[in-house]
Tab-separated table of all heavy atoms in Angstrom:
chain	number	residue	atom	x	y	z
O	221	ALA	N	37.450	-36.770	22.205
O	221	ALA	CA	37.978	-36.597	23.558
O	221	ALA	C	39.144	-35.611	23.551
O	221	ALA	O	39.699	-35.292	22.490
O	221	ALA	CB	38.429	-37.950	24.107
O	222	PRO	N	39.559	-35.122	24.720
O	222	PRO	CA	40.723	-34.231	24.778
O	222	PRO	C	41.983	-34.917	24.247
O	222	PRO	O	42.161	-36.126	24.390
O	222	PRO	CB	40.854	-33.940	26.280
O	222	PRO	CG	39.498	-34.180	26.836
O	222	PRO	CD	38.925	-35.307	26.041
O	223	ASN	N	42.833	-34.137	23.615
O	223	ASN	CA	44.126	-34.601	23.111
O	223	ASN	C	44.029	-35.695	22.057
O	223	ASN	O	44.980	-36.448	21.852
O	223	ASN	CB	45.017	-35.105	24.264
O	223	ASN	CG	45.948	-34.012	24.746
O	223	ASN	OD1	45.880	-32.870	24.301
O	223	ASN	ND2	46.834	-34.360	25.669
O	224	VAL	N	42.877	-35.782	21.387
O	224	VAL	CA	42.735	-36.799	20.347
O	224	VAL	C	43.250	-36.284	19.004
O	224	VAL	O	43.385	-37.035	18.044
O	224	VAL	CB	41.253	-37.255	20.249
O	224	VAL	CG1	40.414	-36.234	19.474
O	224	VAL	CG2	41.145	-38.631	19.619
O	299	LEU	N	36.534	-38.077	15.978
O	299	LEU	CA	37.887	-38.623	16.071
O	299	LEU	C	37.938	-39.543	17.286
O	299	LEU	O	37.624	-39.116	18.404
O	299	LEU	CB	38.915	-37.501	16.240
O	299	LEU	CG	39.329	-36.715	14.996
O	299	LEU	CD1	40.419	-35.720	15.382
O	299	LEU	CD2	39.820	-37.627	13.908
O	300	VAL	N	38.322	-40.795	17.070
O	300	VAL	CA	38.370	-41.757	18.169
O	300	VAL	C	39.735	-42.439	18.190
O	300	VAL	O	40.416	-42.538	17.165
O	300	VAL	CB	37.254	-42.821	18.034
O	300	VAL	CG1	35.884	-42.174	18.102
O	300	VAL	CG2	37.395	-43.604	16.738
O	301	GLU	N	40.121	-42.910	19.361
O	301	GLU	CA	41.363	-43.671	19.510
O	301	GLU	C	41.023	-45.117	19.831
O	301	GLU	O	40.185	-45.388	20.703
O	301	GLU	CB	42.222	-43.081	20.628
O	301	GLU	CG	42.797	-41.715	20.282
O	301	GLU	CD	43.835	-41.261	21.296
O	301	GLU	OE1	43.453	-40.585	22.265
O	301	GLU	OE2	45.030	-41.567	21.097
O	302	GLY	N	41.649	-46.031	19.106
O	302	GLY	CA	41.425	-47.455	19.328
O	302	GLY	C	39.976	-47.841	19.099
O	302	GLY	O	39.365	-47.486	18.086
O	303	ASP	N	39.427	-48.598	20.040
O	303	ASP	CA	38.031	-49.049	19.939
O	303	ASP	C	37.084	-48.133	20.716
O	303	ASP	O	35.973	-48.534	21.086
O	303	ASP	CB	37.913	-50.484	20.478
O	303	ASP	CG	38.725	-51.472	19.646
O	303	ASP	OD1	38.831	-51.251	18.433
O	303	ASP	OD2	39.267	-52.439	20.222
O	304	GLU	N	37.534	-46.920	20.958
O	304	GLU	CA	36.745	-45.951	21.713
O	304	GLU	C	35.406	-45.672	21.039
O	304	GLU	O	35.305	-45.607	19.815
O	304	GLU	CB	37.558	-44.663	21.824
O	304	GLU	CG	36.918	-43.568	22.634
O	304	GLU	CD	37.787	-42.312	22.611
O	304	GLU	OE1	38.067	-41.810	21.512
O	304	GLU	OE2	38.186	-41.876	23.694
O	305	THR	N	34.357	-45.504	21.837
O	305	THR	CA	33.026	-45.168	21.331
O	305	THR	C	32.792	-43.673	21.520
O	305	THR	O	33.042	-43.149	22.610
O	305	THR	CB	31.940	-45.949	22.093
O	305	THR	OG1	32.191	-47.348	21.953
O	305	THR	CG2	30.557	-45.637	21.540
O	317	VAL	N	36.276	-41.566	12.329
O	317	VAL	CA	37.610	-41.971	11.870
O	317	VAL	C	38.549	-42.123	13.061
O	317	VAL	O	38.373	-41.477	14.092
O	317	VAL	CB	38.214	-40.949	10.872
O	317	VAL	CG1	37.460	-40.934	9.572
O	317	VAL	CG2	38.246	-39.554	11.478
O	318	LYS	N	39.543	-42.972	12.885
O	318	LYS	CA	40.554	-43.146	13.923
O	318	LYS	C	41.520	-41.971	13.904
O	318	LYS	O	41.872	-41.470	12.834
O	318	LYS	CB	41.311	-44.451	13.700
O	318	LYS	CG	40.456	-45.697	13.858
O	318	LYS	CD	41.265	-46.949	13.560
O	318	LYS	CE	40.386	-48.198	13.652
O	318	LYS	NZ	41.162	-49.412	13.295
O	319	ALA	N	41.952	-41.575	15.086
O	319	ALA	CA	42.861	-40.437	15.211
O	319	ALA	C	44.318	-40.895	15.186
O	319	ALA	O	44.626	-42.075	15.357
O	319	ALA	CB	42.565	-39.699	16.510
O	320	LYS	N	45.212	-39.942	14.954
O	320	LYS	CA	46.664	-40.153	15.048
O	320	LYS	C	47.141	-41.330	14.197
O	320	LYS	O	47.809	-42.246	14.673
O	320	LYS	CB	47.073	-40.348	16.507
O	320	LYS	CG	46.662	-39.168	17.400
O	320	LYS	CD	47.015	-39.395	18.854
O	320	LYS	CE	46.569	-38.214	19.728
O	320	LYS	NZ	46.857	-38.411	21.152
Side-chain angles (χ1 to χ4, degrees):
N223 265 5
V224 79
L299 281 184
V300 298
E301 291 190 269
D303 297 327
E304 183 183 57
T305 302
V317 292
K318 295 177 183 177
K320 303 177 181 178

